[in-house]
Amino acid sequence: MKRIGIITLALLFALAVTPIVQARTFVTIGTGGVTGVYYPTGGAISRIINKKSKEYGIKATVESTGGSVYNINAVLTGDLEFGIAQSDRQYQAVHGTAEWQNRGAQEKLRSVFSIHPESITLIAAADSGVTDVKSLKGKRVNIGNPGSGQLQNSKDVLGAFGLSEESVDAEYVKAVEAPGLLQDERLDAFFYTVGHPNGNISEATSGRIKVSLIPIVGSPVDELIAKHPYYAKSVIDIKNYPTAINEKDVESVGVKATLVTSADVSDDVVYAITKEVFENFEEFKKLHPAYSVLTKKDMLAGMSAPVHPGALKYYKESGLVEYVNKDLIK
Ligand code: GLU
């Protein structure tokens, strides 16, 4: 009897001290095509947070998707917890323009931080006759898949030069397919809004067909930038693509990649991801050459949606809040 009592006590004690296995929170980050920069960026963020999975109980995974617009919409429906999206697309979702025109302002969208700069990249086969935006008229041009960030950028650039998707022979395929189509001579040119360097443009420039990056410059561009606050001038360093036939760096129009989430995602999860990326900033920067120019301050510029309270908690405790646009603190 005494013995059974001791065993029972011992069992009870063992149960009491066994730590409750922490519930795992699974989060998925929507990215882009596997040859772009969003996909490895999702990988970089996941890697940083998964290293602390014991501490936070978070397991992050990455999904290859159609791009910015797809990611914003999937975050809003709750199909994804996080998504990478162009700063211009974030602005449009918040203001209910472009793809969100008929659905109005997307109130649940929240920003976490900005990431690398992206350039509207126009690339053409050397013998296609495409030397500038105007000469795209009548050419076979991939302007971007529905769901991508670049689709609206291509339309804006064409529009700035008095062209439209109707004045080119427009294709709407995913960026991942475009280099192969260009090299197979089934496309004359394609647009891709992307950070540099990336595997997609390397692939497009290193095949049998000679190709060049086409500058997007001139007074129509100045007007476009004056009209839309989310566009800025950018330069693509041609050293990234030694087999392209360009001799000089390529001037273009730029936006920023940003990380977005929904107001429905918990503060703890957003706090943990924000904190780990910023506290391991030097390690994060080494994960992709497109981040080489990044500063913490840059990562707090270019957002349009209210900052998620979980991210804000970290910006407050780290003092970085001074760089956050006050209008985004709700
Ligand atoms: N900017 C592209 C988009 O929003 C994706 C670029 C990338 O995957 O790096 O669709």
PDB file of all heavy atoms in Angstrom, residues 286-307:
ATOM      1  N   LYS A 286      23.634  38.841 -45.431  1.00  0.00           N
ATOM      2  CA  LYS A 286      24.540  37.950 -46.176  1.00  0.00           C
ATOM      3  C   LYS A 286      23.778  36.889 -46.967  1.00  0.00           C
ATOM      4  O   LYS A 286      24.354  36.188 -47.785  1.00  0.00           O
ATOM      5  CB  LYS A 286      25.487  37.241 -45.204  1.00  0.00           C
ATOM      6  CG  LYS A 286      26.555  38.161 -44.678  1.00  0.00           C
ATOM      7  CD  LYS A 286      27.650  37.360 -43.987  1.00  0.00           C
ATOM      8  CE  LYS A 286      28.472  38.254 -43.085  1.00  0.00           C
ATOM      9  NZ  LYS A 286      28.303  37.940 -41.669  1.00  0.00           N
ATOM     10  N   LEU A 287      22.474  36.774 -46.735  1.00  0.00           N
ATOM     11  CA  LEU A 287      21.735  35.678 -47.360  1.00  0.00           C
ATOM     12  C   LEU A 287      21.378  35.932 -48.830  1.00  0.00           C
ATOM     13  O   LEU A 287      21.002  35.008 -49.536  1.00  0.00           O
ATOM     14  CB  LEU A 287      20.488  35.324 -46.536  1.00  0.00           C
ATOM     15  CG  LEU A 287      20.817  34.770 -45.140  1.00  0.00           C
ATOM     16  CD1 LEU A 287      19.541  34.518 -44.345  1.00  0.00           C
ATOM     17  CD2 LEU A 287      21.620  33.476 -45.230  1.00  0.00           C
ATOM     18  N   HIS A 288      21.499  37.166 -49.304  1.00  0.00           N
ATOM     19  CA  HIS A 288      21.281  37.418 -50.742  1.00  0.00           C
ATOM     20  C   HIS A 288      22.030  38.689 -51.150  1.00  0.00           C
ATOM     21  O   HIS A 288      21.940  39.693 -50.438  1.00  0.00           O
ATOM     22  CB  HIS A 288      19.789  37.561 -51.078  1.00  0.00           C
ATOM     23  CG  HIS A 288      19.528  37.370 -52.546  1.00  0.00           C
ATOM     24  ND1 HIS A 288      19.836  38.330 -53.476  1.00  0.00           N
ATOM     25  CD2 HIS A 288      19.050  36.314 -53.252  1.00  0.00           C
ATOM     26  CE1 HIS A 288      19.532  37.868 -54.685  1.00  0.00           C
ATOM     27  NE2 HIS A 288      19.054  36.649 -54.579  1.00  0.00           N
ATOM     28  N   PRO A 289      22.708  38.666 -52.308  1.00  0.00           N
ATOM     29  CA  PRO A 289      23.453  39.873 -52.717  1.00  0.00           C
ATOM     30  C   PRO A 289      22.549  41.091 -52.966  1.00  0.00           C
ATOM     31  O   PRO A 289      23.030  42.226 -52.899  1.00  0.00           O
ATOM     32  CB  PRO A 289      24.172  39.446 -54.002  1.00  0.00           C
ATOM     33  CG  PRO A 289      23.592  38.137 -54.408  1.00  0.00           C
ATOM     34  CD  PRO A 289      22.957  37.525 -53.193  1.00  0.00           C
ATOM     35  N   ALA A 290      21.248  40.873 -53.229  1.00  0.00           N
ATOM     36  CA  ALA A 290      20.344  42.019 -53.437  1.00  0.00           C
ATOM     37  C   ALA A 290      20.158  42.825 -52.148  1.00  0.00           C
ATOM     38  O   ALA A 290      19.645  43.942 -52.181  1.00  0.00           O
ATOM     39  CB  ALA A 290      18.985  41.546 -53.952  1.00  0.00           C
ATOM     40  N   TYR A 291      20.568  42.274 -50.995  1.00  0.00           N
ATOM     41  CA  TYR A 291      20.409  42.998 -49.719  1.00  0.00           C
ATOM     42  C   TYR A 291      21.643  43.834 -49.366  1.00  0.00           C
ATOM     43  O   TYR A 291      21.669  44.445 -48.306  1.00  0.00           O
ATOM     44  CB  TYR A 291      20.188  42.048 -48.530  1.00  0.00           C
ATOM     45  CG  TYR A 291      19.162  40.964 -48.713  1.00  0.00           C
ATOM     46  CD1 TYR A 291      19.318  39.743 -48.052  1.00  0.00           C
ATOM     47  CD2 TYR A 291      18.035  41.146 -49.515  1.00  0.00           C
ATOM     48  CE1 TYR A 291      18.387  38.730 -48.193  1.00  0.00           C
ATOM     49  CE2 TYR A 291      17.112  40.140 -49.667  1.00  0.00           C
ATOM     50  CZ  TYR A 291      17.287  38.934 -49.009  1.00  0.00           C
ATOM     51  OH  TYR A 291      16.380  37.925 -49.147  1.00  0.00           O
ATOM     52  N   SER A 292      22.685  43.808 -50.236  1.00  0.00           N
ATOM     53  CA  SER A 292      23.952  44.418 -49.850  1.00  0.00           C
ATOM     54  C   SER A 292      23.800  45.896 -49.464  1.00  0.00           C
ATOM     55  O   SER A 292      24.558  46.383 -48.635  1.00  0.00           O
ATOM     56  CB  SER A 292      24.978  44.260 -50.970  1.00  0.00           C
ATOM     57  OG  SER A 292      24.472  44.893 -52.130  1.00  0.00           O
ATOM     58  N   VAL A 293      22.833  46.583 -50.075  1.00  0.00           N
ATOM     59  CA  VAL A 293      22.670  48.016 -49.805  1.00  0.00           C
ATOM     60  C   VAL A 293      21.763  48.306 -48.606  1.00  0.00           C
ATOM     61  O   VAL A 293      21.596  49.460 -48.212  1.00  0.00           O
ATOM     62  CB  VAL A 293      22.092  48.742 -51.049  1.00  0.00           C
ATOM     63  CG1 VAL A 293      23.073  48.690 -52.213  1.00  0.00           C
ATOM     64  CG2 VAL A 293      20.736  48.150 -51.458  1.00  0.00           C
ATOM     65  N   LEU A 294      21.155  47.294 -48.033  1.00  0.00           N
ATOM     66  CA  LEU A 294      20.138  47.508 -46.997  1.00  0.00           C
ATOM     67  C   LEU A 294      20.654  48.136 -45.717  1.00  0.00           C
ATOM     68  O   LEU A 294      21.731  47.796 -45.242  1.00  0.00           O
ATOM     69  CB  LEU A 294      19.512  46.168 -46.588  1.00  0.00           C
ATOM     70  CG  LEU A 294      18.419  45.575 -47.444  1.00  0.00           C
ATOM     71  CD1 LEU A 294      17.808  44.384 -46.719  1.00  0.00           C
ATOM     72  CD2 LEU A 294      17.356  46.625 -47.702  1.00  0.00           C
ATOM     73  N   THR A 295      19.847  49.028 -45.152  1.00  0.00           N
ATOM     74  CA  THR A 295      20.102  49.503 -43.794  1.00  0.00           C
ATOM     75  C   THR A 295      18.792  49.296 -43.019  1.00  0.00           C
ATOM     76  O   THR A 295      17.725  49.185 -43.633  1.00  0.00           O
ATOM     77  CB  THR A 295      20.444  51.009 -43.760  1.00  0.00           C
ATOM     78  OG1 THR A 295      19.302  51.738 -44.210  1.00  0.00           O
ATOM     79  CG2 THR A 295      21.643  51.343 -44.638  1.00  0.00           C
ATOM     80  N   LYS A 296      18.894  49.294 -41.698  1.00  0.00           N
ATOM     81  CA  LYS A 296      17.678  49.116 -40.891  1.00  0.00           C
ATOM     82  C   LYS A 296      16.696  50.246 -41.165  1.00  0.00           C
ATOM     83  O   LYS A 296      15.485  50.033 -41.227  1.00  0.00           O
ATOM     84  CB  LYS A 296      18.036  49.066 -39.401  1.00  0.00           C
ATOM     85  CG  LYS A 296      18.754  47.781 -39.011  1.00  0.00           C
ATOM     86  CD  LYS A 296      18.965  47.709 -37.497  1.00  0.00           C
ATOM     87  CE  LYS A 296      19.667  46.401 -37.140  1.00  0.00           C
ATOM     88  NZ  LYS A 296      19.868  46.262 -35.693  1.00  0.00           N
ATOM     89  N   LYS A 297      17.234  51.452 -41.346  1.00  0.00           N
ATOM     90  CA  LYS A 297      16.387  52.613 -41.603  1.00  0.00           C
ATOM     91  C   LYS A 297      15.621  52.441 -42.920  1.00  0.00           C
ATOM     92  O   LYS A 297      14.421  52.723 -42.991  1.00  0.00           O
ATOM     93  CB  LYS A 297      17.285  53.859 -41.649  1.00  0.00           C
ATOM     94  CG  LYS A 297      16.556  55.151 -41.601  1.00  0.00           C
ATOM     95  CD  LYS A 297      17.546  56.305 -41.580  1.00  0.00           C
ATOM     96  CE  LYS A 297      16.852  57.581 -41.997  1.00  0.00           C
ATOM     97  NZ  LYS A 297      17.776  58.698 -42.117  1.00  0.00           N
ATOM     98  N   ASP A 298      16.331  51.955 -43.979  1.00  0.00           N
ATOM     99  CA  ASP A 298      15.659  51.698 -45.271  1.00  0.00           C
ATOM    100  C   ASP A 298      14.509  50.717 -45.104  1.00  0.00           C
ATOM    101  O   ASP A 298      13.509  50.786 -45.809  1.00  0.00           O
ATOM    102  CB  ASP A 298      16.597  50.999 -46.266  1.00  0.00           C
ATOM    103  CG  ASP A 298      17.684  51.882 -46.789  1.00  0.00           C
ATOM    104  OD1 ASP A 298      17.503  53.103 -46.774  1.00  0.00           O
ATOM    105  OD2 ASP A 298      18.715  51.328 -47.225  1.00  0.00           O
ATOM    106  N   MET A 299      14.706  49.763 -44.191  1.00  0.00           N
ATOM    107  CA  MET A 299      13.696  48.715 -44.039  1.00  0.00           C
ATOM    108  C   MET A 299      12.412  49.235 -43.386  1.00  0.00           C
ATOM    109  O   MET A 299      11.428  48.517 -43.278  1.00  0.00           O
ATOM    110  CB  MET A 299      14.268  47.527 -43.262  1.00  0.00           C
ATOM    111  CG  MET A 299      15.287  46.765 -44.114  1.00  0.00           C
ATOM    112  SD  MET A 299      15.981  45.345 -43.287  1.00  0.00           S
ATOM    113  CE  MET A 299      14.658  44.159 -43.341  1.00  0.00           C
ATOM    114  N   LEU A 300      12.464  50.500 -42.935  1.00  0.00           N
ATOM    115  CA  LEU A 300      11.260  51.082 -42.345  1.00  0.00           C
ATOM    116  C   LEU A 300      10.652  52.142 -43.249  1.00  0.00           C
ATOM    117  O   LEU A 300       9.701  52.830 -42.869  1.00  0.00           O
ATOM    118  CB  LEU A 300      11.592  51.641 -40.963  1.00  0.00           C
ATOM    119  CG  LEU A 300      12.015  50.512 -40.019  1.00  0.00           C
ATOM    120  CD1 LEU A 300      12.594  51.063 -38.741  1.00  0.00           C
ATOM    121  CD2 LEU A 300      10.852  49.600 -39.719  1.00  0.00           C
ATOM    122  N   ALA A 301      11.187  52.263 -44.480  1.00  0.00           N
ATOM    123  CA  ALA A 301      10.634  53.220 -45.447  1.00  0.00           C
ATOM    124  C   ALA A 301       9.981  52.448 -46.586  1.00  0.00           C
ATOM    125  O   ALA A 301      10.382  51.331 -46.889  1.00  0.00           O
ATOM    126  CB  ALA A 301      11.750  54.106 -45.981  1.00  0.00           C
ATOM    127  N   GLY A 302       8.963  53.060 -47.198  1.00  0.00           N
ATOM    128  CA  GLY A 302       8.333  52.418 -48.357  1.00  0.00           C
ATOM    129  C   GLY A 302       7.077  51.620 -48.026  1.00  0.00           C
ATOM    130  O   GLY A 302       6.559  50.915 -48.871  1.00  0.00           O
ATOM    131  N   MET A 303       6.602  51.742 -46.781  1.00  0.00           N
ATOM    132  CA  MET A 303       5.383  51.007 -46.399  1.00  0.00           C
ATOM    133  C   MET A 303       4.178  51.940 -46.490  1.00  0.00           C
ATOM    134  O   MET A 303       4.306  53.150 -46.305  1.00  0.00           O
ATOM    135  CB  MET A 303       5.526  50.469 -44.974  1.00  0.00           C
ATOM    136  CG  MET A 303       6.753  49.566 -44.818  1.00  0.00           C
ATOM    137  SD  MET A 303       6.920  48.820 -43.187  1.00  0.00           S
ATOM    138  CE  MET A 303       7.582  50.143 -42.230  1.00  0.00           C
ATOM    139  N   SER A 304       3.015  51.369 -46.770  1.00  0.00           N
ATOM    140  CA  SER A 304       1.780  52.165 -46.868  1.00  0.00           C
ATOM    141  C   SER A 304       0.698  51.690 -45.906  1.00  0.00           C
ATOM    142  O   SER A 304      -0.141  52.475 -45.476  1.00  0.00           O
ATOM    143  CB  SER A 304       1.194  52.078 -48.281  1.00  0.00           C
ATOM    144  OG  SER A 304       2.113  52.516 -49.229  1.00  0.00           O
ATOM    145  N   ALA A 305       0.697  50.390 -45.622  1.00  0.00           N
ATOM    146  CA  ALA A 305      -0.319  49.836 -44.728  1.00  0.00           C
ATOM    147  C   ALA A 305       0.091  50.133 -43.278  1.00  0.00           C
ATOM    148  O   ALA A 305       1.283  50.270 -42.995  1.00  0.00           O
ATOM    149  CB  ALA A 305      -0.435  48.328 -44.937  1.00  0.00           C
ATOM    150  N   PRO A 306      -0.880  50.229 -42.352  1.00  0.00           N
ATOM    151  CA  PRO A 306      -0.514  50.416 -40.941  1.00  0.00           C
ATOM    152  C   PRO A 306       0.487  49.333 -40.511  1.00  0.00           C
ATOM    153  O   PRO A 306       0.388  48.198 -40.965  1.00  0.00           O
ATOM    154  CB  PRO A 306      -1.850  50.230 -40.207  1.00  0.00           C
ATOM    155  CG  PRO A 306      -2.909  50.473 -41.232  1.00  0.00           C
ATOM    156  CD  PRO A 306      -2.333  50.090 -42.549  1.00  0.00           C
ATOM    157  N   VAL A 307       1.448  49.732 -39.671  1.00  0.00           N
ATOM    158  CA  VAL A 307       2.433  48.751 -39.198  1.00  0.00           C
ATOM    159  C   VAL A 307       1.730  47.797 -38.226  1.00  0.00           C
ATOM    160  O   VAL A 307       0.985  48.238 -37.338  1.00  0.00           O
ATOM    161  CB  VAL A 307       3.620  49.470 -38.519  1.00  0.00           C
ATOM    162  CG1 VAL A 307       4.595  48.476 -37.915  1.00  0.00           C
ATOM    163  CG2 VAL A 307       4.346  50.360 -39.534  1.00  0.00           C
TER     164      VAL A 307
END
